[in-house]
Amino acid sequence: MEVNAEIISVGSELLLGQICNTNAQFLSKELAILGINVYYHTGVGDNPERLKKIIIQAQERSDLIILTGGLGPTKDDLTKDVLAELLNTKLVYNQEAMNRIEAYFKTVNRAMTENNRKQALVIKDSYVLENKTGMAPGMAYSHEGKIYILLPGPPKELQPMFLDEVRPFLHEQGIISNFILSRVLRFYGIGEAQLEADIEDLIVSQTNPSIAPLAGDGEVTLRLTAKSKTEQESEKLLDEMEKTILDRVGRYFYGYDNTSLPIEVSKLLSKKNLRIACAESLTGGLFAQLLTQVSGAGMIFNGGIVSYTNEVKNKVLNVSQKILDEEGAVSSECAKAMAENVRKILNADIGISFTGVAGPTKSEGKEVGTVFIGIAFKNKETIIYPLDLIGSRDAIRSRSAYNGFYYLLKHLRKGE
């Protein structure tokens, strides 16, 4: 069954450029994976007459009409009101949604204003889409051969609702005939061009599963998507393709889907019951910031010392004046002392250090992008990683921190 879809994004803030329409991008990618054609994107402000005209236009050319935004409690949230009027039906209260809204206000110990009840209104006889991360439910409604999907505007609500609620609904409606599964493989330490070159034959000959490379900030991801009649067969296809890929580039692989290097490092530190401390110069506390953004950081992180000057390196981190005078702060010797000493000073199992030149000019005669990372494990030899990084000042600082996580992860995974 071939289905043509259209996405209508509702909200004056989109037209004013106050926010970027990431919802349309997300939905188009997901619908393409499902084999559903998206031929039109439309943005419309919070105006009932203009929205009505856009929906009428969509009815003439599309089978699946997805509207995002305008399901909230305020007067300018009018999407479901306009659609209900246009389709000559009415809105009714959904008790489950109302219970969820009331429970939320009770939890935060705030009085629920009357306009919040509006969020529990849904189109009569619609299929209600549960909102697990917000209050306003979505809905799916069939009328005269067209299917209308109404989704909330906030991406943190829209994305899980589409994945967990809309996809199964479309499958039940027979719009999706295959069971479609996706898996994201994440790689670090290899460029997009090199990764693609290493698996070029797989990309060229891809059929099922499909392979979609995507470069991120210092990392590369591959999205594998398999289609089959059953979930088990799709899983099998993904497993087989993943094994083929990792046989070639597995040394750069670090995790799946929405994980990150800080998350993976945190999980292993917790699993091994290890605590870490950091000494940072050029990164200025960025490593500590990224680590403590992960929930449960208090169980693995003792603390950090930002030693931006030689005086702090010497008087706080106990880096010898001899090293600073003869080798310089930007040196493997300094990185080694920083990692070993911060581990001892903060009573940790692991010490990690960052020293180097972020730019914009040379330092100690060293080129911009010269970086040394030290990793000191208790009762083991300290390892130093010299790096030559390129990019802006911020890019060099960020890449230094993420390289620290990457090398740390490699050490933590040894012997597993």
Side-chain angles (χ1 to χ4, degrees):
M1 177 182 180
E2 182 159 318
V3 174
N4 297 329
E6 179 160 350
I7 299 168
I8 301 174
S9 304
V10 183
S12 297
E13 66 276 9
L14 296 168
L15 302 182
L16 294 170
Q18 294 172 344
I19 62 172
C20 182
N21 190 0
T22 58
N23 286 337
Q25 179 190 31
F26 168 82
L27 290 170
S28 285
K29 289 171 65 177
E30 293 298 327
L31 290 167
I33 290 169
L34 300 176
I36 297 174
N37 305 312
V38 178
Y39 289 142
Y40 301 97
H41 280 192
T42 308
V44 60
D46 301 311
N47 179 284
E49 292 306 314
R50 285 194 285 271
L51 177 55
K52 190 180 296 184
K53 289 178 182 178
I54 291 296
I55 296 173
I56 292 171
Q57 184 181 46
Q59 290 171 336
E60 296 172 355
R61 61 193 184 189
S62 301
D63 310 299
L64 176 63
I65 301 168
I66 301 178
L67 298 102
T68 71
L71 304 184
T74 61
K75 289 183 179 180
D76 59 0
D77 289 312
L78 43 77
T79 301
K80 55 193 174 186
D81 304 76
V82 170
L83 184 61
E85 180 185 344
L86 189 61
L87 301 182
N88 196 30
T89 185
K90 61 181 181 179
L91 299 177
V92 296
Y93 281 104
N94 178 265
Q95 192 57 51
E96 288 185 15
M98 182 59 70
N99 292 343
R100 180 183 290 272
I101 294 168
E102 290 174 344
Y104 167 78
F105 281 98
K106 186 175 181 180
T107 300
V108 297
N109 196 28
R110 283 168 45 198
M112 187 181 80
T113 56
E114 185 61 27
N115 62 349
N116 274 290
R117 293 175 56 84
K118 177 184 175 184
Q119 294 183 95
L121 286 170
V122 299
I123 295 174
K124 184 183 178 183
D125 298 325
S126 64
Y127 179 89
V128 178
L129 307 170
E130 183 181 357
N131 190 339
K132 298 176 182 176
T133 54
M135 284 189 273
M139 60 207 81
Y141 187 70
S142 298
H143 181 77
E144 296 183 352
K146 308 292 181 182
I147 295 178
Y148 302 85
I149 305 287
L150 283 70
L151 299 173
K156 67 172 184 156
E157 299 178 28
L158 177 143
Q159 293 183 14
M161 184 181 290
F162 181 87
L163 297 173
D164 298 340
E165 301 284 325
V166 177
R167 286 201 308 187
F169 170 80
L170 295 176
H171 199 280
E172 291 171 7
Q173 297 297 306
I175 294 173
I176 308 170
S177 58
N178 290 318
F179 204 102
I180 299 172
L181 288 180
S182 292
R183 181 182 302 171
V184 176
L185 309 181
R186 310 191 79 91
F187 301 85
Y188 194 87
I190 184 173
E192 181 183 19
Q194 184 61 56
L195 180 66
E196 288 193 27
D198 288 346
I199 62 169
E200 183 178 7
D201 59 313
L202 302 177
I203 295 175
V204 170
S205 63
Q206 64 175 306
T207 52
N208 186 27
S210 63
I211 306 170
L214 178 66
D217 186 14
E219 66 176 65
V220 186
T221 63
L222 293 176
R223 180 170 185 160
L224 313 181
T225 302
K227 303 178 183 180
S228 187
K229 295 298 181 183
T230 66
E231 181 177 8
Q232 292 76 14
E233 182 61 27
S234 292
E235 285 279 8
K236 182 181 177 184
L237 290 169
L238 290 177
D239 290 342
E240 291 171 352
M241 180 58 74
E242 178 185 329
K243 184 179 185 305
T244 301
I245 291 171
L246 295 188
D247 282 345
R248 302 185 189 186
V249 291
R251 63 190 179 278
Y252 302 106
F253 171 75
Y254 79 83
Y256 296 98
D257 299 319
N258 294 319
T259 192
S260 67
L261 284 166
I263 289 173
E264 293 300 311
V265 166
S266 297
K267 287 194 297 190
L268 273 181
L269 288 172
S270 179
K271 179 181 177 181
K272 293 173 178 282
N273 197 28
L274 296 173
R275 301 187 69 89
I276 190 170
C278 60
E280 303 187 59
S281 185
L282 85 155
T283 47
L286 182 57
F287 177 89
Q289 178 187 342
L290 292 168
L291 187 63
T292 54
Q293 284 175 346
V294 180
S295 177
M299 303 299 293
I300 58 169
F301 183 55
N302 280 8
I305 296 173
V306 178
S307 52
Y308 219 65
T309 66
N310 283 1
E311 183 180 9
V312 175
K313 290 181 179 72
N314 175 236
K315 294 184 177 179
V316 178
L317 274 177
N318 301 327
V319 177
S320 73
Q321 194 62 47
K322 185 174 186 295
I323 288 176
L324 295 171
D325 290 341
E326 296 181 4
E327 308 297 338
V330 184
S331 66
S332 59
E333 291 81 3
C334 184
K336 182 174 185 291
M338 289 170 64
E340 292 174 347
N341 294 351
V342 78
R343 185 191 70 76
K344 295 172 186 174
I345 292 168
L346 297 182
N347 191 31
D349 301 293
I350 305 168
I352 186 168
S353 66
F354 301 85
T355 185
V357 186
T361 58
K362 293 182 180 180
S363 178
E364 300 180 346
K366 309 286 175 56
E367 295 290 339
V368 173
T370 302
V371 175
F372 295 92
I373 298 173
I375 301 179
F377 285 81
K378 186 186 293 185
N379 302 322
K380 292 184 180 180
E381 184 178 351
T382 300
I383 308 296
I384 305 299
Y385 293 96
L387 303 175
D388 292 310
L389 303 177
I390 59 173
S392 66
R393 176 180 172 84
D394 284 345
I396 289 171
R397 295 175 67 247
S398 177
R399 289 168 185 166
S400 298
Y402 277 103
N403 269 286
F405 282 109
Y406 175 65
Y407 291 123
L408 186 58
L409 185 62
K410 289 180 70 174
H411 283 285
L412 290 168
R413 283 182 171 171
K414 283 181 180 178
E416 286 200 336

